[in-house]
Amino acid sequence: MLIDGHGRRVNYLRISVTERCNFRCQYCMPEKPFSWVPRENLLTFEELFSFVRVALDEGVDKIRITGGEPLLREDLDRFVAMIHDHKPDIDLALTTNGYLLAETAQRLKDAGLKRINVSIDSLKPHIAYRIAQKDVLERVLAGVEKALEVGLKVKVNMVPLKNINDDEIVDVMEYAKARGMTIRYIEYMENVHAKAGLKGLTGKEILEKVKERYTIRKVGREGSSPAFNYLTDDGYKFGIIDPHKHDFCESCNRIRLTAEGHLIPCLYFDEAMSIRDAVKAGDIEKASEILREVLRNKPEKNRWSEENAEESARAFYETGG
Ligand code: SAM
């Protein structure tokens, strides 16, 4: 079992398989052109899996594949199958922008993927364009339909932003609800890579918008999920991911692995250790030692909950959000 330096059990590994993305979401990516990590610096699926196997054998039972945009990594279903074939019963999920989902959903499902989170920030084509800086909506929605059709469980993620998509909070909920999908609103996390001047809605402000349509009651946090859940008066459960709340980190159960082999204990901070050389050398003992050291040094909490904390320097497109 993996326990961190603050006594929290860590059973959830998020793997960013590429930092590349086909969207340029304002809240995530820099506006000016920048260069990607060269492809040859990425760990292969075999190398990534040699570490994943250690984590699975040490008690990780939840894996989420993310990015960048994970569906840009060729033959991702091969990686999904490696994980699934080693431990078929784990919770194996993917977070995607949905753009390439229509053509990949069936293969991913066949490989053993169980769940998908799709980011949908707007149902208005021009607002989706404004946020992603690309004409994306039609393909994303087609991707969601396909994922549901092949039998994947789908959740929707939305980042509500002031004066951009905050009038769509209930509309996106209705869209999700009509398809039996849960929606989770993510508070915008300030970071230096995002467009200057962006303002996110707080969890409280998001709830106010939902209350314009529904009476709601609190359900609370479930297990180690980062979402605080609520129930509408007609029985629909939705969540708010609120990293600015002081109790957000108490049940943190996760670590992150990037495509280059950085093992990251906290989404807020820059600290990371590399397992790259160890897995390249096939030294699994060493990789396992590094994992334990990262866990020993996992911070107790992020700094988004602090008044006047500086912006995080972490790139979410690198760490997978
Ligand atoms: N490309 C995939 C996608 O769009 O879902 C996976 C990677 S993305 C970094 C993962 C999640 O992080 C998305 O739901 C995205 O909305 C969220 N995210 C990225 N930057 C964020 C920020 N600054 N604040 C809150 N959520 C953010």
Side-chain angles (χ1 to χ4, degrees):
M1 194 186 288
L2 299 169
I3 305 284
D4 79 359
H6 302 281
R8 295 170 294 198
R9 182 177 169 219
V10 172
N11 65 330
Y12 179 11
L13 175 65
R14 294 177 65 104
I15 309 167
S16 169
V17 290
T18 177
E19 60 161 5
R20 287 169 199 250
C21 194
N22 43 1
F23 289 16
R24 292 288 177 277
C25 296
Q26 292 186 11
Y27 50 72
C28 186
M29 289 212 156
E31 243 178 306
K32 23 182 204 321
F34 59 105
S35 53
W36 301 114
V37 171
R39 278 185 213 276
E40 56 273 21
N41 286 17
L42 303 187
L43 294 178
T44 64
F45 287 149
E46 284 73 13
E47 288 163 345
L48 286 170
F49 180 68
S50 68
F51 175 78
V52 171
R53 184 204 293 263
V54 171
L56 287 171
D57 293 345
E58 296 270 9
V60 163
D61 56 13
K62 177 171 180 180
I63 290 190
R64 177 172 297 280
I65 299 170
T66 175
E69 174 45 42
L71 298 182
L72 286 178
R73 185 101 186 226
E74 220 171 303
D75 299 331
L76 186 68
D77 54 305
R78 203 165 64 74
F79 186 49
V80 169
M82 286 177 183
I83 301 170
H84 173 264
D85 293 350
H86 186 64
K87 285 262 165 92
D89 295 331
I90 65 157
D91 181 4
L92 184 51
L94 173 89
T95 298
T96 173
N97 60 32
Y99 195 78
L100 297 171
L101 197 49
E103 51 263 53
T104 49
Q106 185 70 62
R107 277 168 59 195
L108 291 165
K109 168 81 173 142
D110 294 346
L113 190 71
K114 297 185 177 111
R115 302 192 296 115
I116 291 197
N117 285 15
V118 183
S119 304
I120 300 181
D121 294 318
S122 174
L123 293 169
K124 297 178 186 164
H126 68 288
I127 301 294
Y129 188 116
R130 181 168 163 204
I131 295 172
Q133 311 199 57
K134 176 169 171 166
D135 186 12
V136 295
L137 187 63
E138 201 178 318
R139 285 187 63 131
V140 171
L141 298 185
V144 170
E145 297 304 327
K146 186 68 185 179
L148 290 169
E149 187 190 309
V150 305
L152 286 162
K153 277 182 78 177
V154 184
K155 280 186 188 165
V156 171
N157 288 342
M158 175 181 187
V159 180
L161 299 166
K162 281 197 177 143
N163 303 322
I164 298 180
N165 63 350
D166 52 351
D167 58 340
E168 291 191 73
I169 285 173
V170 174
D171 293 347
V172 182
M173 177 188 278
E174 296 298 340
Y175 162 83
K177 193 174 162 209
R179 288 162 182 76
M181 307 185 291
T182 301
I183 186 165
R184 301 195 320 170
Y185 302 102
I186 309 177
E187 284 181 351
Y188 167 59
M189 289 173 262
E190 297 75 11
N191 68 95
V192 298
H193 307 279
K195 185 177 169 140
L198 275 188
K199 280 256 174 299
L201 269 71
T202 63
K204 199 163 166 249
E205 289 167 330
I206 293 167
L207 283 179
E208 289 308 317
K209 298 273 183 192
V210 177
K211 283 183 192 166
E212 288 172 13
R213 177 84 54 96
Y214 293 104
T215 304
I216 55 173
R217 72 176 167 84
K218 278 185 192 175
V219 176
R221 297 191 195 279
E222 287 171 358
S224 312
S225 162
F228 196 101
N229 294 310
Y230 298 85
L231 209 56
T232 62
D233 44 359
D234 63 350
Y236 177 71
K237 192 161 77 175
F238 66 98
I240 296 185
I241 298 182
D242 48 4
H244 298 83
K245 258 203 179 153
H246 69 278
D247 65 346
F248 180 79
C249 304
E250 278 169 17
S251 59
C252 185
N253 63 341
R254 62 199 60 193
I255 45 168
R256 295 173 163 81
L257 176 65
T258 72
E260 284 184 280
H262 298 303
L263 207 48
I264 299 169
C266 174
L267 184 59
Y268 181 93
F269 293 100
D270 269 352
E271 278 73 17
M273 284 185 79
S274 178
I275 54 146
R276 182 187 176 76
D277 292 346
V279 298
K280 287 248 171 231
D283 189 347
I284 293 312
E285 278 291 302
K286 180 75 191 164
S288 181
E289 261 170 46
I290 296 170
L291 169 61
R292 285 179 192 284
E293 187 166 348
V294 166
L295 289 176
R296 265 196 302 279
N297 296 322
K298 185 169 159 64
E300 188 175 7
K301 45 172 117 154
N302 70 43
R303 295 195 62 206
W304 279 296
S305 58
E306 291 175 21
E307 291 257 324
N308 307 321
E310 71 268 30
E311 291 176 313
S312 169
R314 267 269 165 240
F316 296 150
Y317 56 88
E318 189 197 19
T319 57

